């Protein structure tokens, strides 16, 4: 039985192992059973599924995952947590802990070697200092995974979920939308963690698209246009892209391309959706 989703037992484990929190590793452990239930429900885990957990900490979410999935592989950077995990997960035979930096883990090999024949999902209460590199890394690697369900800063969740014309909409919203559908599972206040983080949190599920839903001839160009447009988001798209150091389109070329797409020449990038950025890059290719 999972016994770690509360403050009392978390404090007991920390005391027993004389563990000191490392701020630099973003260590904020979950102490709320309801939130843990919401995460595992939100991740849509089947009993034949394989789960990759990033940053198991003292094993709180890991216990919940082990009870739902066929197998859990958890990647933890802090070597001081390994003996703690050996203790808190001793009742489970379907878990493997890897003491590694997730940003250096060969995920393709891990999935091939550990999860043959299984549907794979990523579930984590992420270390917030590397939220974006972890999420974008997982998506850009085009791993054979169904979805990614993660606790992240509320502010980053808002940016990922934002649509055209809103203040949170930007390059991150578009980059994620290219690879996945997004769904907000829950908002989570600071008092659900030990120690309490300074920011609010949210759990989001990214359902990985098995096929792209936009046709792009040159992905690199599309993302360069997106970056240029949001690098100077108060400018018109034509001015922002024409001024961009990395791109060499003239104002006339850009105005003509927008016209071809039926868009106003004074349009700002922040009003375009992913399909429109894809179409613009295709016209300019
Ligand atoms: N899963 C636990 C929970 O929910 O209570 C702990 C989550 S805590 C927010 C983030 C965890 O990620 C910590 O255990 C931390 O040591 C670990 N971590 C930080 N950076 C990491 C990295 N680069 N690779 C793997 N784990 C990392």
């Amino acid at each position: 039985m999972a016994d770690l989703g509360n403050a009392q037992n978390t404090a007991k484990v920390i005391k027993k192992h004389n563990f000191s929190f490392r701020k630099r590793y973003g260590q904020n452990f979950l102490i709320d059973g309801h939130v843990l239930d919401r995460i595992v429900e939100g991740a849509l885990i089947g009993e034949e599924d394989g789960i990759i957990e990033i940053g198991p900490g003292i094993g709180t979410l890991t216990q919940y995952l082990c009870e739902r999935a066929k197998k859990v592989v958890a990647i933890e950077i802090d070597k001081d947590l390994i003996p703690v995990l050996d203790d808190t997960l001793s009742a489970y035979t379907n878990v493997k802990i890897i003491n590694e930096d997730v940003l250096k883990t060969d995920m393709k090999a891990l999935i091939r070697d550990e999860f043959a024949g299984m549907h794979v999902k990523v579930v984590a209460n992420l270390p917030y200092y590397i939220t974006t590199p972890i999420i974008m890394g997982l998506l850009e690697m085009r791993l054979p995974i169904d979805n990614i369900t993660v606790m992240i800063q509320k502010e980053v969740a808002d940016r990922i979920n934002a649509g055209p014309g809103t203040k949170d909409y930007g390059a991150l919203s578009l980059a994620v939308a290219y690879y996945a559908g997004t769904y907000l599972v829950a908002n989570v206040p600071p008092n659900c963690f030990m120690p309490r983080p300074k920011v609010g949190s949210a759990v989001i599920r990214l359902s990985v698209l098995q096929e792209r839903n936009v046709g792009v001839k040159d992905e690199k160009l599309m993302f360069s246009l997106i970056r240029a447009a949001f690098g100077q988001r108060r400018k018109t798209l034509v001015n922002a892209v024409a001024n961009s150091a990395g791109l060499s389109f003239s104002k006339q070329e850009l105005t003509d391309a927008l016209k071809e797409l039926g868009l106003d020449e004074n349009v700002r990038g922040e009003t375009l959706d992913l399909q429109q950025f894809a179409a613009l890059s295709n016209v300019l290719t």
Side-chain angles (χ1 to χ4, degrees):
M1 252 302 271
D3 58 2
L4 281 177
N6 61 67
Q8 212 184 9
N9 289 354
T10 301
K12 246 193 234 164
V13 168
I14 284 163
K15 194 165 172 223
K16 175 176 172 192
H17 291 273
N18 204 13
F19 175 76
S20 317
F21 288 94
R22 286 207 172 86
K23 225 177 160 183
R24 75 188 154 102
Y25 284 153
Q27 292 175 341
N28 300 93
F29 300 155
L30 270 165
I31 51 167
D32 187 305
H34 297 297
V35 173
L36 286 149
D37 284 334
R38 295 284 293 277
I39 297 175
V40 289
E41 274 153 30
L44 309 176
I45 300 168
E47 51 190 33
E48 293 301 314
D49 286 347
I51 306 292
I52 300 174
E53 187 193 3
I54 298 164
I58 61 167
T60 309
L61 177 58
T62 327
Q63 291 187 337
Y64 282 70
L65 296 170
C66 286
E67 289 185 5
R68 296 250 178 163
K70 182 163 189 184
K71 180 173 181 184
V72 179
V73 174
I75 305 161
E76 173 56 60
I77 198 170
D78 186 347
K79 68 172 174 15
D80 290 351
L81 284 168
I82 306 306
V84 185
L85 289 162
D86 287 342
D87 179 15
T88 59
L89 301 174
S90 60
Y92 300 98
T93 53
N94 58 343
V95 63
K96 178 171 177 173
I97 304 295
I98 299 177
N99 183 203
E100 211 167 77
D101 177 348
V102 71
L103 296 177
K104 296 187 181 146
T105 301
D106 182 342
M107 286 290 184
K108 278 202 173 122
L110 186 148
I111 292 170
R112 188 193 57 224
D113 298 345
E114 303 289 347
F115 296 114
M118 291 182 222
H119 278 275
V120 180
K121 290 165 179 157
V122 176
V123 187
N125 170 17
L126 286 182
Y128 292 174
Y129 73 106
I130 43 172
T131 300
T132 309
I134 291 176
I135 292 179
M136 289 318 301
L138 291 169
L139 293 173
E140 285 167 356
M141 274 184 270
R142 300 205 152 117
L143 300 170
I145 54 177
D146 296 352
N147 61 40
I148 300 170
T149 303
V150 280
M151 176 88 71
I152 58 179
Q153 304 95 302
K154 168 92 175 71
E155 172 253 323
V156 180
D158 288 344
R159 284 200 279 134
I160 287 176
N161 264 329
T166 62
K167 75 170 175 27
D168 292 321
Y169 185 59
L172 183 63
S173 332
L174 286 156
V176 172
Y178 185 58
Y179 296 103
T182 64
Y183 175 75
L184 177 70
V185 174
N187 285 313
V188 182
N191 63 1
C192 296
F193 301 85
M194 181 189 289
R196 292 181 184 193
K198 289 200 175 73
V199 294
S201 303
V203 180
I204 55 161
R205 181 177 68 234
L206 307 177
S207 301
V208 177
L209 300 172
Q210 302 308 321
E211 280 171 37
R212 302 273 82 82
N213 55 7
V214 291
V216 190
K217 289 187 214 155
D218 183 346
E219 270 179 23
K220 229 175 121 200
L221 173 62
M222 180 181 75
F223 284 114
S224 300
L225 289 168
I226 289 171
R227 269 194 305 276
F230 288 98
Q232 294 179 296
R233 64 185 292 152
R234 306 311 301 165
K235 292 205 164 148
T236 65
L237 181 88
V238 168
N239 282 335
V241 175
N243 289 342
S244 157
L247 290 165
S248 52
F249 297 109
S250 68
K251 287 192 182 177
Q252 193 57 54
E253 282 173 304
L254 293 161
T255 307
D256 290 346
L258 288 177
K259 254 192 216 150
E260 200 177 322
L261 298 172
L263 292 167
D264 190 284
E265 64 184 89
N266 293 317
V267 76
R268 288 208 196 117
E270 63 189 6
T271 66
L272 266 59
D273 64 17
L274 182 64
Q275 272 72 16
Q276 289 170 314
F277 272 109
L280 179 63
S281 81
N282 288 345
V283 171
L284 291 169
T285 299

